[in-house]
C-alpha cells in the first residue's frame, strides 16, 4: 500500500530519485533512429524538461540528452518506479472514485514485466505500443487519477496528461487520444521525429488505451482463426496431425503456440529473440524449444504421424524455417505444412519489428541503429526470400493467410511477388485473415469481448467464466445454424479456459461474443457483483480489433468492397458514441496492428460496480458498440451483416438503420456507362 501511495504522489523531486539507468534483467526496446537535426534535439530536450522545475534542469538535461542520443528517445529512466508494477486489487489504490482505481489497475497491468514487452520503455506489445511516452507522464497520470472526483475527466494527449477538467458524473473519467496527426503528416518518418520530440505516441491498440490483458487477449481469436481456416481450406475442424507454421512469440504473437494446441494441431513458431521464447516456454505456452532445423523437421513428422497436439518453438529466423520446409518438399515430395501465416511486427519493419535473414538478432539490433539504410535493404531482401519460399509451398498445396500485421503490404513494398492479378487496392495473392476467415464473424456481430476481475481473485474469474458460459448456452437455443456454430466454438472456449492457464497479469478473460451475448454477460456479471457472488467490480472492455472499433483497409475492414475501406468514420463514430453512452474511459488511436498512418482505431473501458447505473450504461453502450459496425458492414454490401442488423432492428424498435438496395441487374450499369 505504501508503494502505491508513493506512485500516486506525483513526480519525486525533493530529493530526486537515484538514476539507476536501464535494468539489465529485462528486455529493452531497440534503439530508435529519429535522425533529428541539432535544433530538433534542443526542442526534444526542452520539451522533456518542461515537466520539472528549473532548479532540476541542470541535473536532468545532461542525462536526458544522453538518453536521446543513445536510445533515440527520452524515457526518463530515473523516474521509473522501484515498486513492483502489477495489477493490485482495486481497493488498494489510494483514490476518491473506483472508476479511477480501475484505470490505475489497468495501467499498471499494462506495465507489469510479466505482461509488457519492454517494461522500462513503457512498451506493452508490438515493439512500439506505448502506454506513455516517458515515466514523468506515468507519475502525473497516477497522481491525477488518485485525486479525481466523479465530476472530473482526465484528458490524455498521446501519453501526456493534459490535466483534470470539470465534467459530469455521466461523462467518461478519461478521454485518451494517441497519434492524432494531421493526415498529410502521418508518415513513418514523421512518427519517429514526433515521438522523439515527445509530442505524439504510437499506442498500438490496447497498449495506449490501458486494456491489454496479456497474450491471452489474442489466444482466443487465434484459435478461432486456425479452426475456421481448417474448415475453409482443409474442409475439417479436426486439426489433429495438421501443421501450422508461423513466426513471433513476443507480445500479441505469443498467443500462437497456445492457440495451436487448443485447436488440436501442430504449431511451429519461429522466434529470433531468445527472451520471449524462454518466457513462453516457462509459462507453459510453448511445449518444446529447439534451435535445430533438423530437429524441427523430425518433431513435425513425429507429431503429424501420431496426431499429437504440439507447440514447438524454433529459436531462429522464420525465413530459414520456410526454406528448410521447402527443401524437404523438393527432396522428398512430402509437404510438411498445411497452414501458414506470420505475426512479426511488420508495422514497424525497420526498427525491431522484423529481423531479417541472414543477420543474427544481435547483428540486426546493431545495424538498425548504425546503418539504417543498409538495414532497410537487408530487410527487403529477406522479405523477398520469405515470400519466395511461401509461394512455392503454397503452389504445392499449403494455405497461407496474412495476419493483419502488414506482412504482405511490406513484402509488396519490398518487391516480393505478392500481387493479385485483377485485385483491388486491399487485395494480395493471399487473403488477410479478415477477408477469408474473421470478416464473416465480425459481420455476425462477434468480436473479442473481455473483462478483468479487479479483486485479483482467481475465484472471481471462475465465477464470471461460468456466468458467461451459461449466458451463451441459453442464447444459442434460438439462433441460425451459422451463428450457432460460433456459439459452440465460444462455449467450448469459455468452458475450457480455466484449465489452459492463460492468465498473465490481471485476472482477465477474453471471449468472442455477439451483441446480445455481450449485453447479457455484462448485465449478469453486474448482478453478480451486486449480490456478492463476485467480490469486487469488474472492468469490461474489448480489443480494438473488433466489429466497430477499427478502420483498417489491410485488416479489419479489408473485406469492405464499396470503396470505403480507407474511410475512418466508423472508428471515430464509435469512440464518440461510446463516450456519451456510458463508457468509463474511451481511446482513439492512429495506428495499431498494420501500422502508423494505416489505421484508425478505438476502445473503451467500463466499470461494472453492481449498480443500476452501471447496468444502464452497459446496455446502452454495448448495443451501440456492436450495431455501429454491423450497420456499416451491411451498407457496404455484406449479406451476413444485412441479416444481423435486420434481426437486431426487429428486437429493438428504437434502432432504425438505413438499409441498402443492391443492384440486381449488372446490365443496368453497363447500359448507363456505355450510353
Amino acid at each position: 500500500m505504501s508503494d502505491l501511495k508513493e506512485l500516486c504522489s506525483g513526480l519525486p523531486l525533493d530529493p530526486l530519485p537515484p538514476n539507476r539507468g536501464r535494468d539489465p534483467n529485462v528486455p529493452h526496446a531497440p534503439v530508435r533512429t529519429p535522425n533529428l537535426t541539432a535544433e530538433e534535439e534542443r526542442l526534444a530536450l526542452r520539451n522533456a524538461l518542461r515537466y520539472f522545475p528549473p532548479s532540476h534542469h541542470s541535473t536532468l538535461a545532461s542525462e536526458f540528452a544522453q538518453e536521446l542520443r543513445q536510445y533515440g528517445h527520452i524515457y526518463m529512466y530515473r523516474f521509473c518506479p522501484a515498486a513492483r508494477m502489477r495489477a493490485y486489487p482495486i481497493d488498494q489504490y489510494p483514490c476518491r472514485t473506483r472508476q479511477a482505481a480501475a484505470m490505475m489497475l489497468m495501467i499498471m497491468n499494462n506495465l507489469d514485466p510479466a505482461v509488457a514487452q519492454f517494461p522500462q520503455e513503457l512498451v506493452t506489445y508490438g515493439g512500439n505500443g506505448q502506454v506513455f511516452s516517458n515515466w514523468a507522464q506515468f507519475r502525473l497520470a497516477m497522481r491525477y487519477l488518485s485525486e479525481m472526483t466523479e465530476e472530473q475527466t482526465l484528458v490524455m494527449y498521446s501519453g501526456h496528461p493534459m490535466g483534470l477538467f470539470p465534467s459530469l458524473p455521466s461523462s467518461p473519467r478519461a478521454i485518451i487520444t494517441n497519434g492524432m496527426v494531421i493526415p498529410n503528416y502521418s508518415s513513418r518518418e514523421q512518427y519517429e521525429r514526433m515521438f522523439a520530440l515527445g509530442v505524439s505516441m504510437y499506442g498500438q491498440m490496447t497498449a495506449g488505451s490501458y486494456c491489454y490483458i496479456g497474450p491471452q487477449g489474442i489466444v482466443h481469436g487465434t484459435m478461432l482463426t486456425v479452426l475456421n481456416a481448417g474448415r475453409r481450406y482443409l474442409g475439417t475442424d479436426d486439426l489433429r496431425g495438421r501443421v501450422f507454421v508461423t513466426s513471433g512469440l513476443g507480445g500479441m504473437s505469443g498467443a500462437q503456440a497456445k492457440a495451436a494446441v487448443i485447436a488440436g494441431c501442430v504449431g511451429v513458431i519461429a522466434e529470433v529473440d531468445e527472451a520471449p521464447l524462454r518466457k513462453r516456454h516457462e509459462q507453459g505456452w510453448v511445449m518444446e524449444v529447439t534451435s535445430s532445423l533438423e530437429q524441427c523437421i523430425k518433431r513435425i513428422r513425429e507429431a503429424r504421424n501420431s496426431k499429437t497436439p504440439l507447440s514447438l518453438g524454433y529459436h531462429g529466423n522464420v525465413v530459414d524455417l520456410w526454406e528448410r520446409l521447402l527443401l524437404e518438399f523438393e527432396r522428398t515430395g512430402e509437404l510438411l505444412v498445411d497452414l501458414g501465416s506470420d505475426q512479426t511486427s511488420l508495422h514497424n519493419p525497420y526498427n525491431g519489428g522484423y529481423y531479417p535473414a541472414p543477420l543474427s538478432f544481435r547483428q540486426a539490433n546493431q545495424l538498425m541503429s548504425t546503418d539504417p539504410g543498409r538495414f532497410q535493404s537487408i530487410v527487403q531482401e529477406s522479405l523477398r526470400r520469405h515470400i519466395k519460399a511461401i509461394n512455392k509451398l503454397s503452389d504445392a498445396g499449403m494455405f497461407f493467410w496474412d495476419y493483419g500485421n502488414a506482412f504482405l503490404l511490406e513484402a509488396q513494398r519490398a518487391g516480393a511477388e505478392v500481387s493479385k492479378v485483377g485485385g483491388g487496392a486491399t487485395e494480395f495473392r493471399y487473403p488477410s485473415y479478415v477477408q477469408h476467415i474473421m470478416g464473416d464473424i465480425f459481420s455476425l456481430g462477434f468480436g473479442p469481448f473481455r473483462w478483468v476481475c479487479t479483486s485479483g481473485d482467481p475465484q472471481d474469474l471462475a465465477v464470471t467464466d461460468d456466468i458467461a458460459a451459461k449466458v451463451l448456452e441459453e442464447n444459442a437455443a434460438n439462433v441460425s445454424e451459422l451463428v450457432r456454430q460460433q456459439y459452440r466454438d465460444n462455449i467450448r472456449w469459455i468452458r475450457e479456459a480455466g484449465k489452459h492457464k492463460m492468465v498473465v497479469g490481471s485476472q482477465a478473460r477474453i471471449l468472442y461474443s455477439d451483441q446480445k451475448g455481450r449485453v447479457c454477460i455484462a448485465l449478469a456479471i453486474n448482478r453478480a457483483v451486486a449480490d456478492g457472488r463476485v467480490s469486487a467490480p469488474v472492468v469490461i472492455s474489448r480489443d480494438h480489433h473488433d466489429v466497430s472499433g477499427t478502420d483498417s483497409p489491410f485488416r479489419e475492414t479489408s473485406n469492405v468492397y464499396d470503396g470505403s475501406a480507407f474511410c475512418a468514420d466508423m472508428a471515430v463514430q464509435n469512440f464518440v458514441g461510446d463516450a456519451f453512452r456510458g463508457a468509463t474511459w474511451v481511446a482513439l488511436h492512429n495506428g495499431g496492428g498494420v501500422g502508423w498512418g494505416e489505421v484508425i482505431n478505438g476502445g473503451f473501458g467500463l466499470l461494472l460496480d453492481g449498480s443500476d447505473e452501471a447496468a444502464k450504461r452497459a446496455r446502452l453502450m454495448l448495443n451501440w458498440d456492436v450495431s455501429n459496425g454491423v450497420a456499416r458492414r451491411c451498407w457496404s454490401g455484406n449479406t451476413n451483416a444485412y441479416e444481423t442488423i435486420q434481426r437486431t432492428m426487429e428486437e429493438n424498435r428504437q434502432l432504425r438503420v438505413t438499409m441498402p438496395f443492391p443492384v440486381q441487374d449488372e446490365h443496368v450499369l453497363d447500359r448507363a456507362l456505355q450510353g
Side-chain angles (χ1 to χ4, degrees):
M1 192 68 174
S2 60
D3 284 345
L4 290 177
K5 285 183 178 177
E6 188 274 326
L7 284 179
C8 297
S9 62
L11 284 166
L13 300 174
D14 188 20
L16 290 172
N19 185 7
R20 300 186 305 275
R22 302 218 302 183
D23 182 352
N25 298 311
V26 298
H28 290 282
V31 174
R32 296 180 178 276
T33 53
N35 297 316
L36 300 183
T37 65
E39 269 310 303
E40 287 171 338
E41 284 188 340
R42 291 179 68 85
L43 182 57
L45 196 55
R46 184 181 291 114
N47 287 347
L49 290 173
R50 60 185 163 176
Y51 286 101
F52 307 93
S55 58
H56 293 299
H57 286 185
S58 60
T59 301
L60 298 175
S62 59
E63 68 186 58
F64 287 174
Q66 182 181 0
E67 285 186 22
L68 181 62
R69 288 173 172 166
Q70 189 171 355
Y71 306 120
H73 187 74
I74 300 171
Y75 295 104
M76 306 185 186
Y77 291 113
R78 179 191 287 268
F79 297 95
C80 178
R84 167 77 196 282
M85 199 70 67
R86 68 178 182 87
Y88 292 86
I90 192 170
D91 290 336
Q92 294 187 21
Y93 288 93
C95 56
R96 301 168 72 177
T97 166
R98 275 186 156 180
Q99 292 181 330
M103 281 186 278
M104 295 161 89
L105 179 154
M106 301 290 277
I107 287 169
M108 292 190 70
N109 185 68
N110 271 23
L111 294 169
D112 182 342
V115 174
Q117 187 178 12
F118 304 125
Q120 281 203 303
E121 287 75 45
L122 303 108
V123 172
T124 300
Y125 72 93
N128 59 352
Q130 304 282 150
V131 188
F132 300 96
S133 179
N134 60 57
W135 285 104
Q137 294 175 347
F138 164 80
R139 288 180 176 272
L140 284 174
M142 293 294 281
R143 178 169 184 174
Y144 282 135
L145 288 168
S146 72
E147 297 171 346
M148 173 190 288
T149 71
E150 292 192 357
E151 293 185 337
Q152 290 174 304
T153 292
L154 175 62
V155 175
M156 298 294 301
Y157 280 27
S158 289
H160 170 66
M162 190 58 71
L164 292 173
F165 291 77
S167 61
L168 299 170
S170 59
S171 303
R173 297 280 71 80
I175 301 285
I176 304 160
T177 53
N178 286 306
M180 292 292 105
V181 173
I182 305 302
N184 280 355
Y185 302 90
S186 190
S187 67
R188 188 174 289 152
E189 294 72 27
Q190 289 281 19
Y191 155 67
E192 293 291 350
R193 173 181 166 275
M194 286 185 280
F195 182 60
L197 292 176
V199 296
S200 196
M201 188 182 88
Y202 187 71
Q204 266 284 0
M205 290 189 165
T206 52
S209 67
Y210 320 146
C211 293
Y212 189 64
I213 60 169
Q216 178 197 175
I218 199 174
V219 170
H220 187 25
T222 306
M223 183 204 77
L224 289 176
T225 300
V226 174
L227 273 179
N228 284 293
R231 289 168 181 151
R232 180 175 184 120
Y233 300 135
L234 307 176
T236 180
D237 54 11
D238 181 1
L239 297 182
R240 291 174 297 174
R242 302 291 193 161
V243 179
F244 171 50
V245 173
T246 182
S247 61
L249 284 166
M252 299 292 277
S253 59
Q256 296 184 104
K258 174 67 84 172
V261 171
I262 295 173
C265 67
V266 178
V268 185
I269 305 94
E271 173 58 64
V272 292
D273 185 357
E274 187 179 7
L277 181 59
R278 186 171 61 248
K279 179 192 283 190
R280 300 304 173 210
H281 190 232
E282 289 169 355
Q283 289 171 342
W285 288 39
V286 172
M287 295 161 67
E288 299 178 18
V289 173
T290 181
S291 57
S292 164
L293 285 168
E294 300 314 308
Q295 179 68 7
C296 271
I297 298 298
K298 178 174 179 289
R299 289 297 292 125
I300 288 171
R301 273 207 175 90
E302 290 171 350
R304 260 181 108 223
N305 293 336
S306 64
K307 295 190 175 182
T308 305
L310 171 68
S311 54
L312 175 62
Y314 168 59
H315 183 210
N317 199 294
V318 70
V319 178
D320 297 327
L321 177 59
W322 281 120
E323 289 178 342
R324 181 64 184 84
L325 287 163
L326 175 60
L327 179 63
E328 194 67 17
F329 172 71
E330 291 172 340
R331 281 177 179 172
T332 67
E334 185 179 13
L335 184 63
L336 292 177
V337 53
D338 301 285
L339 301 170
S341 193
D342 185 276
Q343 276 199 40
T344 47
S345 297
L346 267 157
H347 66 274
N348 183 31
Y350 308 125
N351 200 32
Y354 181 87
Y355 284 83
L359 299 180
S360 70
F361 182 66
R362 186 184 298 273
Q363 288 170 333
N365 277 329
Q366 184 176 8
L367 190 63
M368 73 177 71
S369 60
T370 59
D371 193 345
R374 182 164 171 248
F375 181 74
Q376 180 171 336
S377 296
I378 294 173
V379 165
Q380 291 179 333
E381 173 57 30
S382 181
L383 281 167
R384 291 191 290 270
R385 280 177 57 185
H386 200 153
I387 289 293
K388 185 177 180 181
I390 288 170
N391 285 350
K392 289 184 176 181
L393 288 166
S394 176
D395 290 342
M398 177 193 74
F399 295 93
F400 186 89
W401 67 88
D402 181 281
Y403 221 111
N405 57 332
F407 175 65
L408 294 179
L409 182 62
E410 289 300 332
Q412 183 184 60
R413 289 168 176 168
E417 295 181 12
V418 294
S419 297
K420 179 180 179 179
V421 177
T426 63
E427 293 179 292
F428 296 98
R429 174 172 178 163
Y430 304 105
S432 80
Y433 75 122
V434 172
Q435 287 170 326
H436 267 202
I437 303 168
M438 298 301 282
D440 281 346
I441 292 174
F442 285 165
S443 297
L444 294 169
F446 283 84
F449 184 57
R450 53 178 62 167
W451 61 91
V452 176
C453 297
T454 66
S455 65
D457 185 350
Q459 181 56 33
D460 279 347
L461 185 59
V463 171
T464 57
D465 283 350
D466 187 57
I467 288 170
K470 287 177 178 175
V471 166
L472 294 189
E473 286 164 352
E474 183 176 333
N475 287 2
N478 300 301
V479 294
S480 68
E481 181 54 35
L482 183 60
V483 174
R484 187 172 293 114
Q485 178 179 285
Q486 299 306 320
Y487 268 103
R488 282 196 295 264
D489 287 345
N490 287 288
I491 291 166
R492 170 188 166 190
W493 161 266
I494 198 68
R495 286 295 186 198
E496 297 179 357
K499 77 176 185 182
H500 290 301
K501 299 180 180 177
M502 290 175 293
V503 169
V504 178
S506 59
Q507 292 294 318
R509 185 68 72 224
I510 186 168
L511 171 70
Y512 269 62
S513 180
D514 61 355
Q515 179 173 326
K516 184 177 180 180
R518 298 185 207 202
V519 173
C520 292
I521 290 168
L523 296 178
I525 289 176
N526 193 57
R527 288 193 295 271
V529 173
D531 64 27
R533 284 175 291 147
V534 174
S535 67
V538 172
V539 172
I540 59 171
S541 181
R542 59 161 170 74
D543 197 344
H544 298 199
H545 165 68
D546 195 17
V547 180
S548 309
T550 298
D551 282 296
S552 178
F554 295 103
R555 196 162 83 170
E556 284 81 356
T557 47
S558 60
N559 68 330
V560 170
Y561 300 115
D562 68 346
S564 71
F566 293 89
C567 301
D569 299 84
M570 179 178 72
V572 175
Q573 287 279 356
N574 224 64
F575 162 79
V576 175
D578 284 353
F580 68 74
R581 286 179 174 85
T584 306
W585 70 94
V586 289
L588 186 67
H589 297 183
N590 170 11
V594 180
W596 180 270
E598 306 282 0
V599 190
I600 295 292
N601 64 88
F604 72 86
L606 196 161
L607 186 69
L608 300 176
D609 60 6
S611 66
D612 291 343
E613 175 66 17
K616 179 182 176 182
R617 289 173 178 239
R619 183 183 292 108
L620 191 62
M621 198 214 73
L622 290 174
N623 276 310
W624 154 257
D625 193 66
V626 179
S627 281
N628 173 39
V630 178
R632 184 270 179 97
R633 293 167 191 277
C634 164
W635 185 246
S636 76
N638 186 285
T639 304
N640 285 338
Y642 186 102
E643 294 171 358
T644 301
I645 203 69
Q646 188 76 52
R647 187 171 60 251
T648 306
M649 284 193 287
E650 291 169 2
E651 294 171 354
N652 182 357
R653 293 300 178 181
Q654 285 188 297
L655 177 66
R656 296 180 66 189
V657 171
T658 304
M659 303 296 280
F661 293 98
V663 173
Q664 296 178 341
D665 182 1
E666 290 292 320
H667 292 102
V668 171
L669 306 182
D670 295 337
R671 288 192 294 270
L673 293 171
Q674 288 166 4

